[in-house]
């Protein structure tokens, strides 16, 4: 069968690639055309556009990129009709993907959604649009099934692919030596995100707090979709940049500073106490504050249903607050135990499944019916 897959971000590329691999196991004749990244291309997908071309962060930024957005959307619609897939598979990235879903349904194409858009966080009324446009929804967070059921929409909970990836990870015993790190000094992991815009907002502030922590080494998780030279102006004494080794970094870290996103869940699954950080433009923040309907921004707290980790958002994201919170996750044994108990609850809620394989099996089964 022919699959058209769209992922607009780095994490979507990762999860879509694992799904494509699983689909090939279920369907020996599988062919893929995709919008995504290097990992999807490595799984045999014909890449139309890389997600780097589409990366936009924040409401204001999206508004100012409207003409580029429309150009991509029109190209995608034309390409979709030319390819005539058996199914369109959308991976998160709601702003773009829901518009593609509408177009697909208008042209009688089957639509599957892998990793639900976060409509439970903002504009929950969009669930009715999802019901009308998406033939099958595959969700990865336990509370999402309950959310959709409230609106009479049955979805498939397939487990969490991030948890699968963490549990499958094999530790690199040569991590310290390979990266010229000091094995005697504990690591503070710094995960500033994967998009240049969010890194600019986050990383300088994260690294302003070095003086009180010179007994530790700060290690920044860099990504190769950005030029290595870009990170050079963040380097300084006691700071190392390493690339594409986030899981090994978290496995060896004593604590972490993490930009809100999938990385907060990854950090929790590695049992690393963390401080969640987030900042965007003032206008984007005010718009987001008006429309977001959930009490937390991190997946850790959302899954737990309570505050497990501290979130420093916008004006609260300051060097002074970072220092205070980092001391807590490094030195306050009672608080650390409380955080790790919350992490244990999250692991229990997520369960242990192979999400990509389960989704692929269900998808091929639905398509054959």
């Amino acid at each position: 069968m022919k699959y058209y897959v769209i992922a607009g971000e780095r994490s979507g590329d990762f999860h879509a690639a694992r799904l494509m691999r699983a689909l090939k196991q279920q369907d020996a004749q599988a062919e893929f055309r995709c919008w995504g990244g290097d990992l999807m291309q490595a799984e045999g997908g014909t890449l139309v556009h890389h997600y780097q071309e589409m990366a936009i962060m924040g409401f204001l930024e999206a508004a100012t990129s409207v003409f580029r957005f429309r150009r991509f959307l029109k190209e995608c619609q034309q390409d979709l009709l030319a390819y005539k897939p058996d199914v369109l598979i959308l991976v998160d990235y709601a702003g773009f993907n829901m518009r593609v879903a509408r177009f697909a349904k208008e042209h009688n194409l089957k639509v599957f959604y892998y990793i639900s858009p976060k409509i439970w966080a903002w504009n929950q009324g969009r669930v009715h649009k999802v019901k009308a446009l998406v033939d099958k929804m595959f969700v990865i967070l336990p509370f999402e099934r309950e959310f959709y059921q409230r609106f009479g929409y049955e979805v498939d909970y397939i487990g969490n692919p991030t948890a699968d990836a963490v549990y499958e990870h094999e530790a690199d015993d040569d991590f310290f030596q390979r990266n010229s790190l000091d094995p005697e000094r504990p690591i503070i992991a710094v995960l500033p995100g994967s998009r240049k815009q969010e890194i600019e907002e986050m990383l300088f502030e994260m690294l302003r707090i070095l003086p009180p922590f010179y007994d530790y080494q700060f290690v920044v998780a860099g990504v190769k979709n950005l030029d290595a030279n870009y990170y050079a102006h963040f380097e300084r004494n006691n700071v190392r940049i390493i690339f594409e080794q986030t899981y090994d970094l978290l496995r060896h870290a004593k604590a972490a500073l993490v930009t809100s996103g999938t990385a907060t869940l990854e950090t929790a699954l590695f049992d690393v106490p963390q401080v969640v950080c987030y900042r965007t433009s003032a206008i984007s923040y005010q718009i987001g504050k008006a429309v977001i309907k959930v009490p937390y921004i991190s997946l850790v707290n959302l899954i737990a249903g309570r505050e497990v980790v501290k979130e420093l958002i916008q004006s609260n994201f300051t060097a002074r607050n970072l220092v205070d919170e980092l001391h807590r996750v490094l030195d306050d044994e009672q608080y650390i135990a409380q955080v790790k108990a919350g992490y244990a609850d999250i692991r229990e809620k997520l369960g242990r499944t192979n999400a990509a394989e389960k989704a692929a099996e269900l998808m091929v089964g639905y398509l054959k019916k």
Side-chain angles (χ1 to χ4, degrees):
M1 286 183 280
K2 295 167 66 177
Y3 303 84
Y4 200 103
V5 189
I6 303 177
E9 298 175 301
R10 176 183 168 83
S11 62
D13 177 41
F14 175 78
H15 293 309
R18 290 170 67 93
L19 175 64
M20 289 164 62
R21 189 184 313 151
L23 283 167
K24 288 187 289 186
Q25 295 172 351
Q26 295 289 328
D27 177 9
Q29 306 302 315
E31 297 178 11
F32 301 98
R33 190 167 178 84
C34 55
W35 294 52
D38 300 340
L39 298 177
M40 295 167 72
Q41 190 171 32
E43 288 298 334
T46 300
L47 194 63
V48 182
H49 277 290
H50 200 284
Y51 65 79
Q52 288 176 261
E53 302 174 60
M54 302 185 288
I56 301 169
M57 174 186 168
F59 294 94
L60 176 63
E61 293 78 7
T64 57
S65 302
V66 64
F67 294 109
R68 182 159 58 100
F69 182 94
R70 287 176 179 173
R71 176 170 55 83
F72 279 133
L73 182 61
K74 185 174 182 180
E75 182 179 350
C76 183
Q77 292 170 344
Q78 293 172 343
D79 193 57
L80 192 60
L81 290 183
Y83 187 62
K84 297 178 181 177
D86 292 285
V87 63
L88 167 66
I89 301 176
L90 306 172
V91 184
D92 200 355
Y93 199 56
F96 187 83
N97 277 341
M98 285 303 296
R99 287 169 173 80
V100 180
R102 177 179 294 281
F103 179 84
K105 292 307 294 182
E106 289 172 352
H107 291 82
N108 298 313
L109 295 174
K110 192 172 291 293
V111 179
F112 290 171
Y113 220 121
Y114 180 65
I115 305 180
S116 169
K118 297 173 181 62
I119 59 173
W120 37 264
W122 56 280
N123 198 358
Q124 296 184 357
R126 294 184 74 192
V127 69
H128 302 293
K129 183 182 294 185
V130 171
K131 287 175 64 176
L133 301 180
V134 177
D135 295 288
K136 293 293 180 182
M137 173 69 74
F138 304 88
V139 301
I140 65 169
L141 300 171
F143 63 80
E144 290 178 319
R145 174 189 274 178
E146 299 163 7
F147 167 76
Y148 281 112
Q149 283 178 338
R150 295 207 308 267
F151 295 90
Y153 185 41
E154 290 298 322
V155 302
D156 290 298
Y157 174 66
I158 52 167
N160 190 278
T162 298
D164 294 336
V166 169
Y167 298 146
E168 293 167 10
H169 178 71
E170 297 182 4
D172 178 4
D173 294 332
D174 297 323
F175 176 74
F176 282 88
Q177 182 177 359
R178 184 154 57 86
N179 292 289
S180 301
L181 296 170
D182 182 354
E184 301 302 319
R185 284 196 302 157
I187 288 175
I188 295 173
V190 182
L191 280 59
S194 60
R195 292 175 290 189
K196 185 178 291 188
Q197 187 178 339
E198 65 186 353
I199 292 171
E200 291 286 352
E201 290 282 359
M202 308 304 299
L203 193 49
F204 281 115
E205 197 74 35
M206 287 174 164
L207 297 180
R208 284 180 60 198
I209 66 171
L210 296 178
F213 300 100
Y214 274 128
D215 291 336
Y216 298 86
Q217 50 192 331
F218 284 70
V219 183
V220 177
V223 292
K224 285 187 176 177
N225 57 276
L226 297 178
D227 192 317
N229 293 327
Y230 166 72
Y231 288 92
H233 62 298
F234 296 107
E235 290 183 326
R236 58 207 70 185
N237 291 336
N238 209 35
V239 176
R240 292 297 309 280
I241 314 289
I242 66 173
F243 292 90
E244 304 299 337
Q245 300 176 69
T246 300
Y247 282 10
D248 282 313
L249 171 58
L250 288 172
R251 186 174 288 279
H252 292 93
K254 185 171 183 181
L257 305 177
V258 188
T259 296
S260 180
T262 304
T264 64
L265 178 57
E266 292 170 325
T267 304
L269 292 170
F270 276 104
D271 217 30
V272 179
Q274 64 183 298
V275 184
V276 175
C277 311
Y278 186 77
R279 179 190 288 158
T280 186
S281 68
I283 294 176
S284 289
Y285 176 70
Q286 290 302 321
I287 295 172
K289 190 175 178 181
V291 301
I292 289 176
K293 307 297 183 184
V294 291
Y296 307 108
I297 64 167
S298 69
L299 286 176
V300 175
N301 292 341
L302 287 168
I303 295 170
R306 66 183 192 279
E307 183 179 279
V308 172
V309 296
K310 183 68 174 179
E311 299 178 350
L312 297 180
I313 307 170
Q314 210 65 9
S315 61
N316 288 325
F317 176 54
T318 64
R320 171 172 287 186
N321 288 340
L322 277 175
V323 168
D324 290 343
E325 291 303 323
L326 190 52
H327 275 304
R328 272 219 298 171
V329 297
L330 288 169
D331 305 323
D332 186 335
E333 294 299 332
Q334 183 176 352
Y335 179 68
I336 293 169
Q338 178 184 319
V339 169
K340 292 192 174 186
Y343 288 173
D345 290 343
I346 289 167
R347 286 192 290 271
E348 184 175 349
K349 286 186 175 185
L350 293 178
R352 295 291 293 265
T353 64
N354 189 318
E357 287 187 6
K358 185 172 181 180
E361 183 178 357
L362 287 169
M363 288 180 181
V364 172
Y366 288 140
L367 291 170
K368 288 182 176 178
K369 281 185 180 180

